[in-house]
Amino acid sequence: MGREFLEIFENWANSYDDTVVGHDLEYKEVFRGYEEILSEVANRSFGHVLEFGVGTGNLTKELLNRGMEVTGIEPSRPMREIAEKKLPKEVKLLDGDFLEFSVDKKIDTIVSTYAFHHLTDDEKEKAVKLYGNLLRQGGKIVFADTMYESKQAHLDAIEKAEREGFYNLAKDLQTEYYTTIPFLIEIFEKYGFTVTFSRCNDFVWILEATKQ
């Protein structure tokens, strides 16, 4: 359920915010337009928002600034501790992940940035089914993440990273569970959503799914 990557994020917690502003050359393109991506995810959200992978709280702040109520789920204690320092005390930040979590209120929007790829494709389908049962008609899922138009596009991205000497990035692209847009369309439609995709940079797309 993505927790096999937890140690990476616990070690990354203190430098994560430096990475997203472009201080790590290998990941500069991955995070190009980071602030705009967060803003766009927040703009497409409404109501009571369930956020997976809160990290250091950057998207959470955007949601709160637009007057939304947020329940945040984050499995990494170091990440949660940094987020708690940034965010108002009334924000709920809970231990959990995409598949194991608890909420005590109706959810209008489910959001996540740079995290859904921690699930295998089988786990992604389980998550989408779960969210389909959780959301009422008109409820939304808005995820920003690295995904590819085809399996070949994914392989091409790995080859490009290696060619440019970005070996950490190449290893990341080979190790974590990056998926394709056709697969995501299939599972979202299967569980009662309409779904659209908007490209943000060479890696990241925003997926917006509405429960029918």
PDB file of all heavy atoms in Angstrom, residues 95-112:
ATOM      1  N   ASP A  95      -2.405   9.428  10.734  1.00  0.00           N
ATOM      2  CA  ASP A  95      -1.605   8.345  10.172  1.00  0.00           C
ATOM      3  C   ASP A  95      -2.519   7.487   9.292  1.00  0.00           C
ATOM      4  O   ASP A  95      -3.671   7.226   9.639  1.00  0.00           O
ATOM      5  CB  ASP A  95      -1.018   7.508  11.299  1.00  0.00           C
ATOM      6  CG  ASP A  95      -0.062   6.441  10.806  1.00  0.00           C
ATOM      7  OD1 ASP A  95       0.380   6.505   9.641  1.00  0.00           O
ATOM      8  OD2 ASP A  95       0.232   5.515  11.589  1.00  0.00           O
ATOM      9  N   GLY A  96      -2.005   7.059   8.153  1.00  0.00           N
ATOM     10  CA  GLY A  96      -2.786   6.225   7.255  1.00  0.00           C
ATOM     11  C   GLY A  96      -2.190   6.264   5.864  1.00  0.00           C
ATOM     12  O   GLY A  96      -1.131   6.854   5.639  1.00  0.00           O
ATOM     13  N   ASP A  97      -2.865   5.626   4.924  1.00  0.00           N
ATOM     14  CA  ASP A  97      -2.413   5.637   3.533  1.00  0.00           C
ATOM     15  C   ASP A  97      -3.619   5.573   2.607  1.00  0.00           C
ATOM     16  O   ASP A  97      -4.761   5.692   3.056  1.00  0.00           O
ATOM     17  CB  ASP A  97      -1.416   4.498   3.277  1.00  0.00           C
ATOM     18  CG  ASP A  97      -1.980   3.131   3.601  1.00  0.00           C
ATOM     19  OD1 ASP A  97      -3.105   2.829   3.155  1.00  0.00           O
ATOM     20  OD2 ASP A  97      -1.292   2.348   4.289  1.00  0.00           O
ATOM     21  N   PHE A  98      -3.379   5.388   1.318  1.00  0.00           N
ATOM     22  CA  PHE A  98      -4.450   5.425   0.333  1.00  0.00           C
ATOM     23  C   PHE A  98      -5.540   4.379   0.570  1.00  0.00           C
ATOM     24  O   PHE A  98      -6.679   4.562   0.140  1.00  0.00           O
ATOM     25  CB  PHE A  98      -3.880   5.219  -1.075  1.00  0.00           C
ATOM     26  CG  PHE A  98      -3.227   6.427  -1.671  1.00  0.00           C
ATOM     27  CD1 PHE A  98      -1.843   6.557  -1.669  1.00  0.00           C
ATOM     28  CD2 PHE A  98      -3.979   7.432  -2.269  1.00  0.00           C
ATOM     29  CE1 PHE A  98      -1.224   7.660  -2.239  1.00  0.00           C
ATOM     30  CE2 PHE A  98      -3.378   8.537  -2.835  1.00  0.00           C
ATOM     31  CZ  PHE A  98      -1.999   8.657  -2.832  1.00  0.00           C
ATOM     32  N   LEU A  99      -5.187   3.277   1.207  1.00  0.00           N
ATOM     33  CA  LEU A  99      -6.140   2.186   1.390  1.00  0.00           C
ATOM     34  C   LEU A  99      -6.542   1.960   2.846  1.00  0.00           C
ATOM     35  O   LEU A  99      -7.584   1.355   3.101  1.00  0.00           O
ATOM     36  CB  LEU A  99      -5.562   0.888   0.809  1.00  0.00           C
ATOM     37  CG  LEU A  99      -5.451   0.846  -0.710  1.00  0.00           C
ATOM     38  CD1 LEU A  99      -4.687  -0.392  -1.149  1.00  0.00           C
ATOM     39  CD2 LEU A  99      -6.829   0.874  -1.365  1.00  0.00           C
ATOM     40  N   GLU A 100      -5.746   2.416   3.765  1.00  0.00           N
ATOM     41  CA  GLU A 100      -6.048   2.227   5.183  1.00  0.00           C
ATOM     42  C   GLU A 100      -6.127   3.593   5.860  1.00  0.00           C
ATOM     43  O   GLU A 100      -5.108   4.239   6.105  1.00  0.00           O
ATOM     44  CB  GLU A 100      -4.987   1.348   5.843  1.00  0.00           C
ATOM     45  CG  GLU A 100      -4.988  -0.083   5.325  1.00  0.00           C
ATOM     46  CD  GLU A 100      -4.024  -0.977   6.072  1.00  0.00           C
ATOM     47  OE1 GLU A 100      -3.315  -0.474   6.973  1.00  0.00           O
ATOM     48  OE2 GLU A 100      -3.962  -2.171   5.750  1.00  0.00           O
ATOM     49  N   PHE A 101      -7.348   4.026   6.150  1.00  0.00           N
ATOM     50  CA  PHE A 101      -7.582   5.344   6.720  1.00  0.00           C
ATOM     51  C   PHE A 101      -8.979   5.350   7.323  1.00  0.00           C
ATOM     52  O   PHE A 101      -9.788   4.453   7.070  1.00  0.00           O
ATOM     53  CB  PHE A 101      -7.467   6.432   5.653  1.00  0.00           C
ATOM     54  CG  PHE A 101      -8.468   6.299   4.536  1.00  0.00           C
ATOM     55  CD1 PHE A 101      -9.689   6.964   4.587  1.00  0.00           C
ATOM     56  CD2 PHE A 101      -8.212   5.483   3.442  1.00  0.00           C
ATOM     57  CE1 PHE A 101     -10.628   6.827   3.569  1.00  0.00           C
ATOM     58  CE2 PHE A 101      -9.146   5.338   2.411  1.00  0.00           C
ATOM     59  CZ  PHE A 101     -10.348   6.012   2.476  1.00  0.00           C
ATOM     60  N   SER A 102      -9.262   6.369   8.118  1.00  0.00           N
ATOM     61  CA  SER A 102     -10.614   6.525   8.647  1.00  0.00           C
ATOM     62  C   SER A 102     -11.007   7.991   8.593  1.00  0.00           C
ATOM     63  O   SER A 102     -10.172   8.877   8.825  1.00  0.00           O
ATOM     64  CB  SER A 102     -10.705   6.012  10.089  1.00  0.00           C
ATOM     65  OG  SER A 102      -9.855   6.759  10.939  1.00  0.00           O
ATOM     66  N   VAL A 103     -12.252   8.251   8.253  1.00  0.00           N
ATOM     67  CA  VAL A 103     -12.804   9.608   8.256  1.00  0.00           C
ATOM     68  C   VAL A 103     -14.157   9.554   8.950  1.00  0.00           C
ATOM     69  O   VAL A 103     -14.859   8.548   8.881  1.00  0.00           O
ATOM     70  CB  VAL A 103     -12.962  10.171   6.827  1.00  0.00           C
ATOM     71  CG1 VAL A 103     -11.624  10.506   6.216  1.00  0.00           C
ATOM     72  CG2 VAL A 103     -13.729   9.209   5.941  1.00  0.00           C
ATOM     73  N   ASP A 104     -14.509  10.650   9.608  1.00  0.00           N
ATOM     74  CA  ASP A 104     -15.764  10.661  10.353  1.00  0.00           C
ATOM     75  C   ASP A 104     -16.784  11.625   9.770  1.00  0.00           C
ATOM     76  O   ASP A 104     -17.792  11.932  10.407  1.00  0.00           O
ATOM     77  CB  ASP A 104     -15.503  10.998  11.827  1.00  0.00           C
ATOM     78  CG  ASP A 104     -14.755  12.315  11.999  1.00  0.00           C
ATOM     79  OD1 ASP A 104     -14.575  13.041  11.003  1.00  0.00           O
ATOM     80  OD2 ASP A 104     -14.354  12.613  13.137  1.00  0.00           O
ATOM     81  N   LYS A 105     -16.513  12.113   8.536  1.00  0.00           N
ATOM     82  CA  LYS A 105     -17.432  13.032   7.875  1.00  0.00           C
ATOM     83  C   LYS A 105     -17.557  12.658   6.411  1.00  0.00           C
ATOM     84  O   LYS A 105     -16.674  11.999   5.841  1.00  0.00           O
ATOM     85  CB  LYS A 105     -16.910  14.473   7.956  1.00  0.00           C
ATOM     86  CG  LYS A 105     -17.083  15.146   9.292  1.00  0.00           C
ATOM     87  CD  LYS A 105     -16.634  16.583   9.147  1.00  0.00           C
ATOM     88  CE  LYS A 105     -16.992  17.389  10.379  1.00  0.00           C
ATOM     89  NZ  LYS A 105     -16.634  18.806  10.173  1.00  0.00           N
ATOM     90  N   LYS A 106     -18.628  13.130   5.793  1.00  0.00           N
ATOM     91  CA  LYS A 106     -18.780  12.951   4.356  1.00  0.00           C
ATOM     92  C   LYS A 106     -17.661  13.695   3.620  1.00  0.00           C
ATOM     93  O   LYS A 106     -17.285  14.802   3.999  1.00  0.00           O
ATOM     94  CB  LYS A 106     -20.140  13.483   3.878  1.00  0.00           C
ATOM     95  CG  LYS A 106     -21.282  12.481   4.032  1.00  0.00           C
ATOM     96  CD  LYS A 106     -21.142  11.389   2.992  1.00  0.00           C
ATOM     97  CE  LYS A 106     -22.360  10.474   2.978  1.00  0.00           C
ATOM     98  NZ  LYS A 106     -22.222   9.399   1.976  1.00  0.00           N
ATOM     99  N   ILE A 107     -17.162  13.083   2.576  1.00  0.00           N
ATOM    100  CA  ILE A 107     -16.076  13.662   1.783  1.00  0.00           C
ATOM    101  C   ILE A 107     -16.627  14.161   0.453  1.00  0.00           C
ATOM    102  O   ILE A 107     -17.401  13.468  -0.209  1.00  0.00           O
ATOM    103  CB  ILE A 107     -14.974  12.608   1.527  1.00  0.00           C
ATOM    104  CG1 ILE A 107     -14.407  12.082   2.840  1.00  0.00           C
ATOM    105  CG2 ILE A 107     -13.868  13.179   0.641  1.00  0.00           C
ATOM    106  CD1 ILE A 107     -13.764  13.125   3.701  1.00  0.00           C
ATOM    107  N   ASP A 108     -16.222  15.378   0.072  1.00  0.00           N
ATOM    108  CA  ASP A 108     -16.629  15.939  -1.220  1.00  0.00           C
ATOM    109  C   ASP A 108     -15.556  15.770  -2.286  1.00  0.00           C
ATOM    110  O   ASP A 108     -15.861  15.527  -3.452  1.00  0.00           O
ATOM    111  CB  ASP A 108     -16.966  17.430  -1.059  1.00  0.00           C
ATOM    112  CG  ASP A 108     -18.105  17.664  -0.077  1.00  0.00           C
ATOM    113  OD1 ASP A 108     -19.214  17.163  -0.338  1.00  0.00           O
ATOM    114  OD2 ASP A 108     -17.872  18.316   0.959  1.00  0.00           O
ATOM    115  N   THR A 109     -14.297  15.925  -1.889  1.00  0.00           N
ATOM    116  CA  THR A 109     -13.176  15.832  -2.830  1.00  0.00           C
ATOM    117  C   THR A 109     -12.042  15.025  -2.201  1.00  0.00           C
ATOM    118  O   THR A 109     -11.753  15.188  -1.009  1.00  0.00           O
ATOM    119  CB  THR A 109     -12.636  17.226  -3.209  1.00  0.00           C
ATOM    120  OG1 THR A 109     -13.712  18.087  -3.576  1.00  0.00           O
ATOM    121  CG2 THR A 109     -11.645  17.134  -4.365  1.00  0.00           C
ATOM    122  N   ILE A 110     -11.412  14.185  -3.001  1.00  0.00           N
ATOM    123  CA  ILE A 110     -10.216  13.452  -2.581  1.00  0.00           C
ATOM    124  C   ILE A 110      -9.060  13.952  -3.433  1.00  0.00           C
ATOM    125  O   ILE A 110      -9.152  13.964  -4.672  1.00  0.00           O
ATOM    126  CB  ILE A 110     -10.406  11.938  -2.764  1.00  0.00           C
ATOM    127  CG1 ILE A 110     -11.560  11.432  -1.883  1.00  0.00           C
ATOM    128  CG2 ILE A 110      -9.120  11.191  -2.419  1.00  0.00           C
ATOM    129  CD1 ILE A 110     -11.942   9.989  -2.143  1.00  0.00           C
ATOM    130  N   VAL A 111      -7.982  14.378  -2.788  1.00  0.00           N
ATOM    131  CA  VAL A 111      -6.853  14.956  -3.522  1.00  0.00           C
ATOM    132  C   VAL A 111      -5.548  14.285  -3.126  1.00  0.00           C
ATOM    133  O   VAL A 111      -5.413  13.717  -2.040  1.00  0.00           O
ATOM    134  CB  VAL A 111      -6.734  16.483  -3.288  1.00  0.00           C
ATOM    135  CG1 VAL A 111      -7.998  17.204  -3.713  1.00  0.00           C
ATOM    136  CG2 VAL A 111      -6.394  16.791  -1.838  1.00  0.00           C
ATOM    137  N   SER A 112      -4.578  14.392  -4.020  1.00  0.00           N
ATOM    138  CA  SER A 112      -3.221  13.942  -3.730  1.00  0.00           C
ATOM    139  C   SER A 112      -2.286  14.519  -4.775  1.00  0.00           C
ATOM    140  O   SER A 112      -2.673  14.700  -5.932  1.00  0.00           O
ATOM    141  CB  SER A 112      -3.139  12.419  -3.744  1.00  0.00           C
ATOM    142  OG  SER A 112      -1.826  11.998  -3.408  1.00  0.00           O
TER     143      SER A 112
END
